[in-house]
Amino acid sequence: MADICFITTVQPCTSTSTRPARSPSLSENTVQLPITTAAHSSRCFRHIYYLQYHFQGRSRTPVLPWSNITFVGRKMLPATTKQWTLEGHHGFDSLQFDPSAPIPQLGEREVLVRFHFASLNYRDLIISKGAYTLPTLNHVVPVSDGAGTVEATGPGVHRFQPGDRVLTLFEQGRIAGSPANKTETKSVGGTTNGASRQYGAYDEEDLVAMPATLDFQQASTLSCAAVTAWNALYGLAGNMVKAGDTVLTQGTGGVSMFALQFAKTAGARVIATTGSESKVEVIRSLGADQIINYKTESDWGAVAARLSPDCLGVNHIVEVGGPQSMAQSFKAIRVNGCISIVGFLGGTPTEQQPTFLECLSHECVVRGVYVGSRMLFEDMNRAINANGIKPVVDGRIFTLEEAKEAYQYMVSLDVQIFSIFLLLISSKWDQKHFGKVTIRID
């Protein structure tokens, strides 16, 4: 008996000629439906139903005595899911756990995902603080990055089938290129329910096949930070990283670590900055050619330029610091180089910060990068498979029930908020973790 590849609702038969004297309960009859089209559901269901009764020692063929029961594969679909939601934006206390939230019925082209792992980004932290710069919704299931298995599919789904391993697409509906209107973008964990739950339903176009070379924990780190890093290096036509280029990364966050690994597989030289001597060896083990401690080298941009071939400056900078580090990035960039701004970990705008005239005087490209499309995601996954890239994952694993602790593990409670920006002062951040923080979902 084959497994069903979609969900169907079975209707009762009106005939009573073969109805059993006592209707069996669902717990006694978990059935299998080896069909591919709803048009054959009644005939095929009776056949399998008969086989199950035969195995239980009954001889006659009963007719299904109940209606509107949803089955898939060899088991009934779950009716509820454990999940977290954001109820307000007043910090980590906004996170509320529900052990039995209802699972909505799947739509025509929706896929039900059974999550196995999720991973956190700083974006998840600042959303809970009400400090995210783009729209978010109340009551949303947080966390953008999740990896899981397809549990069931709607009848109109063609891209996936039960058992496929999939990842969430951060920007829902962004198949290729850039969205026409950023304010209308649907982001997982912000305006669309995320991965801090056991089960979640998504349109088939808003999921990506997992790299075959990664496990669920490793793959759960890709949706936001990895795609952002890939976009920073490969998202601008005519200015993609190539062999012989020099790339400057900042710090040891998720985007920076992925950018380091992607740049090395492209054959580029990498200059990495860090403020922690304890992390130098790990960064070097990932392939960094030169490492600068920005705490002891305050003019680290000029140092990076001197370390580049012929002291001409670097070709690419993955800029995660924002206003507080842009001045140094301009010192490091070469003519026709590209600075990709992916975050503002260095703090909020100040009076003493670079202006657009710096772009002119340095003859460079400065671009904002907000994650990326499904096409970029799929390109990145092919590179991960081909080059054996393994995400850097923190050694501690949290359970779904410990999601609040995972948030706190990433950042201390005395983070300061100014306006809609989050001021991330380095001394305020908890330095416990190195690599992506992950949550196991059972």
Side-chain angles (χ1 to χ4, degrees):
M1 290 178 285
D3 287 343
I4 187 174
C5 61
F6 68 93
I7 301 170
T8 185
T9 300
V10 184
Q11 300 297 328
C13 179
T14 56
S15 171
T16 59
S17 60
T18 58
R19 185 182 297 275
R22 181 178 63 86
S23 297
S25 66
L26 274 177
S27 61
E28 296 173 337
N29 296 277
T30 300
V31 298
Q32 302 172 53
L33 210 60
I35 58 177
T36 56
T37 61
H40 301 98
S41 61
S42 179
R43 174 172 55 82
C44 291
F45 188 89
R46 290 179 184 176
H47 175 63
I48 300 304
Y49 195 68
Y50 165 74
L51 289 177
Q52 188 172 38
Y53 264 72
H54 178 74
F55 295 151
Q56 294 176 354
R58 297 175 174 87
S59 59
R60 64 175 178 169
T61 306
V63 176
L64 181 65
W66 60 82
S67 63
N68 298 322
I69 307 299
T70 302
F71 295 90
V72 62
R74 302 179 188 274
K75 57 185 176 182
M76 290 187 299
L77 287 178
T80 62
T81 178
K82 297 178 183 178
Q83 69 178 32
W84 289 88
T85 57
L86 272 174
E87 306 300 329
H89 298 90
H90 45 272
F92 301 159
D93 288 338
S94 303
L95 291 165
Q96 299 296 316
F97 185 69
D98 187 343
S100 57
I103 299 176
Q105 185 175 356
L106 284 184
E108 177 82 7
R109 299 183 60 189
E110 285 189 322
V111 174
L112 184 66
V113 179
R114 168 70 167 93
F115 285 112
H116 302 299
F117 266 93
S119 72
L120 294 181
N121 297 283
Y122 285 115
R123 167 185 179 266
D124 300 311
L125 308 184
I126 63 177
I127 286 178
S128 73
K129 301 280 184 178
Y132 194 50
T133 59
L134 292 174
T136 59
L137 296 179
N138 201 16
H139 315 302
V140 74
V141 176
V143 182
S144 61
D145 295 18
T149 304
V150 173
E151 189 83 356
T153 61
V157 171
H158 303 288
R159 296 187 66 234
F160 299 104
Q161 60 184 0
D164 286 347
R165 305 193 308 166
V166 295
L167 306 174
T168 50
L169 176 65
F170 183 95
E171 290 186 84
Q172 302 280 278
R174 185 177 174 183
I175 307 303
S178 299
N181 188 340
K182 177 58 65 178
T183 60
E184 296 179 359
T185 298
K186 294 181 179 179
S187 61
V188 176
T191 57
T192 300
N193 286 332
S196 57
R197 52 181 172 169
Q198 290 176 301
Y199 295 92
Y202 298 90
D203 188 282
E204 65 171 331
E205 301 295 340
D206 294 329
L207 294 169
V208 178
M210 253 180 68
T213 54
L214 300 184
D215 60 31
F216 285 110
Q217 182 190 22
Q218 295 167 334
S220 73
T221 68
L222 300 180
S223 297
C224 181
V227 177
T228 299
W230 186 265
N231 191 353
L233 297 176
Y234 289 99
L236 185 62
N239 213 331
M240 300 179 185
V241 66
K242 59 185 182 297
D245 282 355
T246 301
V247 176
L248 175 64
T249 63
Q250 301 172 353
T252 54
V255 175
S256 298
M257 292 296 92
F258 280 119
L260 192 166
Q261 292 173 285
F262 294 154
K264 291 305 298 181
T265 59
R269 292 181 72 252
V270 175
I271 302 172
T273 70
T274 181
S276 173
E277 287 296 330
S278 64
K279 297 177 180 178
V280 168
E281 289 307 314
V282 179
I283 298 171
R284 185 172 286 118
S285 71
L286 293 174
D289 299 280
Q290 302 285 344
I291 302 173
I292 305 170
N293 189 322
Y294 60 78
K295 289 185 177 179
T296 59
E297 293 283 358
S298 59
D299 199 23
W300 51 266
V303 174
R306 291 196 298 271
L307 292 174
S308 67
D310 300 322
C311 301
L312 295 176
V314 304
N315 303 87
H316 296 270
I317 298 177
V318 182
E319 172 59 65
V320 302
Q324 300 299 317
S325 58
M326 275 297 294
Q328 292 297 320
S329 290
F330 277 120
K331 291 183 179 182
I333 199 69
R334 67 176 294 159
V335 172
N336 292 325
C338 181
I339 302 175
S340 294
I341 302 175
V342 304
F344 53 95
L345 295 182
T348 58
T350 65
E351 292 182 3
Q352 298 178 348
Q353 62 177 328
T355 69
F356 68 90
L357 291 177
E358 297 289 340
C359 304
L360 178 61
S361 61
H362 288 85
E363 298 184 54
C364 65
V365 174
V366 178
R367 61 187 290 253
V369 172
Y370 184 72
V371 197
S373 67
R374 195 182 81 194
M375 181 179 292
L376 282 172
F377 202 158
E378 292 167 342
D379 288 345
M380 179 193 75
N381 287 347
R382 283 189 286 271
I384 288 173
N385 280 332
N387 294 283
I389 297 171
K390 302 296 182 183
V392 181
V393 181
D394 189 80
R396 181 172 178 183
I397 299 174
F398 295 83
T399 65
L400 180 61
E401 289 79 4
E402 295 173 330
K404 272 190 183 180
E405 287 84 348
Y407 273 62
Q408 182 56 45
Y409 186 65
M410 288 189 67
V411 61
S412 61
L413 290 176
D414 56 355
V415 171
Q416 303 177 51
I417 297 179
F418 294 94
S419 184
I420 60 173
F421 289 95
L422 184 64
L423 181 58
L424 306 181
I425 303 174
S426 60
S427 63
K428 300 286 187 180
W429 285 91
D430 195 331
Q431 297 296 318
K432 293 179 182 177
H433 77 284
F434 181 79
K436 296 289 288 183
V437 175
T438 58
I439 298 171
R440 178 186 287 116
I441 303 173
D442 297 318

